[in-house]
Each structure stands twice: as C-alpha cells, then as structure tokens.
Amino acid sequence: QVQLVESGGGLVQAGGSLRLSCAASGRTFSRYAMGWFRQAPGKEREFVAGVSSSGAYIYYEDSVKGRFTISRDNAKNTVYLQMNSLKPEDTAVYYCAADADSFGLRGLRASARHWGQGTQVTVSS
C-alpha cells in the first residue's frame, strides 16, 4: 500500500510555470510506476505524464509534450511535474497516481490503483 500527497498547485498567469510534487509513504515507492492525471470541470480525468519505477521510461500526453517534465527521486519517495508555458486549458485538479510497472505504463494509464487527493492548478489568461 502507498499513500500519496500532492502539493505545489496554485494560480498562475498564462505562460508561467508551476512545479507539482507528490510525496509517497511506505518503503516500496521505488517499485511503483508513477503518474500525473488531471480533471478539468465538466471533463473526464485524463492521463498527463508517467514514469516507470526506475525512471528509465517516460510517457507524456500529446498536449503537454515539450512543456511538462515528469521526474522522480526514489531516495525522497517523491515524483515531480514541472509545468512550463502553462495555458488556460491546463486548468484542472491534478492527481498523483501509482501502480505496478507495466509495458508502456499501460496499467498506470488505464487503471492506477493508488491516488492522491489532488491539487488545484488554475491558469489565468
């Protein structure tokens, strides 16, 4: 079992940057693939970015490629999402998620088993 707590959300102007953090409890963090999802008002939750347990494999949703960077520090049990060149359409609640490693992060992307409470990101135009 792993518990996840997100931080770093807030209000930023378009073109600005934010860095989200997700701190995980437990001693098995390094075994999990980790990811970020988001849910905008009136929309379904969508996958944003994911990283394998070792950090060797990273996957991004097309709309954030080149703007967002996911990384992890297994020594600190933390995964990060650096968000640059933010757009109003990035406004959403951002959730951290964890799941067992799988090919192409398919398990994480389809049905992550562990979730944080979410952190609000609001981008003003």
Side-chain angles (χ1 to χ4, degrees):
Q1 187 73 11
V2 61
Q3 294 183 333
L4 307 172
V5 178
E6 302 96 336
S7 62
L11 173 64
V12 64
Q13 289 187 334
S17 298
L18 282 174
R19 188 194 197 200
L20 306 183
S21 299
C22 173
S25 64
R27 293 176 289 180
T28 59
F29 174 78
S30 63
R31 300 179 186 176
Y32 287 94
M34 300 296 298
W36 289 94
F37 292 72
R38 65 187 179 186
Q39 187 167 19
K43 296 187 177 181
E44 293 186 354
R45 187 163 54 191
E46 66 173 355
F47 174 82
V48 174
V51 57
S52 63
S53 60
S54 68
Y57 182 83
I58 290 176
Y59 187 99
Y60 294 101
E61 190 267 332
D62 285 346
S63 69
V64 307
K65 285 180 180 178
R67 300 189 299 123
F68 291 10
T69 302
I70 189 171
S71 62
R72 66 187 296 159
D73 185 338
N74 285 348
K76 295 182 178 180
N77 282 11
T78 303
V79 63
Y80 305 97
L81 186 68
Q82 177 67 43
M83 304 186 294
N84 298 328
S85 301
L86 282 161
K87 305 174 181 180
E89 52 264 43
D90 293 318
T91 295
V93 178
Y94 282 71
Y95 297 91
C96 178
D99 200 76
D101 261 334
S102 59
F103 182 77
L105 302 178
R106 289 175 182 174
L108 176 73
R109 291 158 55 196
S111 56
R113 281 174 285 181
H114 306 286
W115 294 89
Q117 295 299 309
T119 185
Q120 177 70 46
V121 171
T122 303
V123 184
S124 63
S125 57

